[in-house]
Amino acid sequence: MLSILASSDLPFLVMGRAGMDLYPHPPGTRIEEATNFSAELGGSSGNIAAALSRFEQPTWLATSVSNDAVGRFVVQQLANYGIATDLLHTLDGDVRTSLALAESRIENQQTVIYRNQAADFQMSVAHIEAIDFSRFRAVVVTGTCLTLEPSRAATLLALKRAKAAGVLTVLDLDYRPYSWQSASAALEVYQQAVECVDLLVGNDDEFGHMSGSYAQGEAYARSLALRNKWVIYKRGAQGSLAFAPQGPAIETGIYSVTALKPIGAGDAFLGGLLASLSRAEPFATALLQASACAAMVVARVGCAPAMPTLAELNEFQAAHSADQHPIGDL
């Protein structure tokens, strides 16, 4: 199924949150002590779209933004990255585009996200019904899209319609407990989404939640491969495990860098992985390149602007070695 990525020149469709990120300057400055900030494109889906676009992969973003200065900032930033906004909806009323303040520091790092009345949660079933999914090679969503209605129903419908159209479906679990009414409510919704997904990406905590026990997370991830799904189980500093419908598991290490901040790695990993697979790289190679992208982003200021180009990725890998080497080659 992943071969769709390399055999098609159709664009990616990323769905979900895009917002404004504010970073205190200089790096290391705490938010409450800052007098200067830089404004950048942010949000998990916005970051993934930026990563794909930086690798010259044609990318569209489906979301909603508020009809105000922050919403217009996001639209302009998406255009600057070359991300198509034809499926972006601008909304009037009390909804607001997400705003995040994030420190470029490791110790006691603070990120403050304003998500009250978030515009992206207003993505609706009507928006999805207007999309011709056959125009895309893959649909990429994050767990954030599933948190609230009407975005939840819209996202589940998008996955079903994309699957029916033969389009690769990708889910980054991105489970944030504080966003959900309860862990059990989240699990029920995630299980509906998983049924329509070809490729799942998550960390050990997220798969632990899906299995009902942290200790069973890896076993649950493995079991999904028996259901004809590709699964990437991220383990932080221990690297990642990848499970495929056929073939051995692949273990991939990380690239050690001096991190400037702890955020943005997951978005960079997924964007880098999909872009690498689109270049027809073997799965094991794609995992290493995704790991390199994650390392590069945590060592830079920002998330979307920190996403590397292919030339930067090649230069980084030529100068660095992963802590472990992949086992197997799918």
Side-chain angles (χ1 to χ4, degrees):
M1 189 68 184
L2 295 186
S3 61
I4 290 175
L5 296 179
S7 62
S8 171
D9 58 1
L10 294 174
F12 285 90
L13 174 59
V14 184
M15 299 177 58
R17 177 170 63 102
M20 175 189 282
D21 283 357
L22 297 177
Y23 293 92
H25 279 283
T29 303
R30 299 183 66 79
I31 293 170
E32 58 265 35
E33 298 169 353
T35 57
N36 292 293
F37 293 82
S38 65
E40 307 288 354
L41 174 66
S44 51
S45 297
N47 293 335
I48 294 167
L52 287 166
S53 188
R54 293 274 282 175
F55 282 118
E56 300 184 359
Q57 297 296 324
T59 305
W60 294 42
L61 181 70
T63 192
S64 297
V65 297
S66 49
N67 186 18
D68 57 24
V70 177
R72 288 189 288 275
F73 171 88
V74 171
V75 174
Q76 183 59 57
Q77 286 293 305
L78 292 169
N80 292 347
Y81 280 92
I83 299 165
T85 58
D86 303 59
L87 299 178
L88 185 148
H89 294 266
T90 301
L91 305 177
D92 294 317
D94 294 333
V95 298
R96 292 291 179 263
T97 300
S98 291
L99 175 67
L101 290 83
E103 295 172 347
S104 301
R105 53 189 286 129
I106 291 294
E107 185 176 355
N108 299 318
Q109 193 267 356
Q110 300 179 102
T111 297
V112 181
I113 304 179
Y114 293 88
R115 296 279 287 147
N116 297 334
Q117 303 278 121
D120 55 279
F121 284 142
Q122 298 305 311
M123 184 169 57
S124 71
V125 165
H127 294 158
I128 300 307
E129 289 175 336
I131 298 175
D132 177 3
F133 286 96
S134 67
R135 298 174 59 190
F136 301 96
R137 77 173 92 172
V139 171
V140 184
V141 304
T142 75
T144 302
C145 304
L146 299 169
T147 307
L148 293 175
E149 297 290 6
S151 175
R152 177 184 301 165
T155 302
L156 291 173
L157 178 62
L159 290 173
K160 291 175 183 177
R161 291 204 165 190
K163 186 81 169 173
V167 175
L168 183 77
T169 51
V170 182
L171 171 64
D172 185 333
L173 290 174
D174 194 24
Y175 173 53
R176 306 180 188 216
Y178 63 82
S179 298
W180 291 84
Q181 183 179 12
S182 67
S184 59
L187 180 58
E188 181 180 350
V189 175
Y190 271 111
Q191 287 175 337
Q192 294 178 55
V194 166
E195 292 302 315
C196 305
V197 171
D198 299 306
L199 170 63
L200 287 93
V201 181
N203 61 32
D204 42 9
D205 287 328
E206 291 163 341
F207 279 109
H209 170 256
M210 293 293 292
S211 70
S213 166
Y214 181 87
Q216 296 301 314
E218 182 180 330
Y220 174 76
R222 288 180 182 272
S223 73
L224 291 174
L226 300 177
R227 295 163 55 185
N228 204 35
K229 300 181 187 299
W230 297 75
V231 184
I232 300 174
Y233 178 85
K234 297 185 292 186
R235 304 175 296 169
Q238 293 181 312
S240 63
L241 292 171
F243 309 107
Q246 295 88 28
I250 298 176
E251 181 177 6
T252 308
I254 66 168
Y255 288 84
S256 296
V257 295
T258 301
L260 184 64
K261 64 186 192 307
I263 57 175
D267 300 334
F269 183 98
L270 181 53
L273 176 79
L274 295 174
S276 182
L277 292 172
S278 295
R279 297 190 297 272
E281 299 285 4
F283 194 48
T285 301
L287 287 166
L288 272 178
Q289 292 187 341
S291 182
C293 290
M296 295 176 74
V297 166
V298 298
R300 298 175 169 186
V301 173
C303 291
M307 300 298 171
T309 63
L310 181 56
E312 290 172 334
L313 172 62
N314 290 337
E315 182 179 354
F316 177 88
Q317 287 195 292
H320 299 79
S321 297
D323 291 346
Q324 303 172 22
H325 291 283
I327 301 169
D329 191 11
L330 298 178

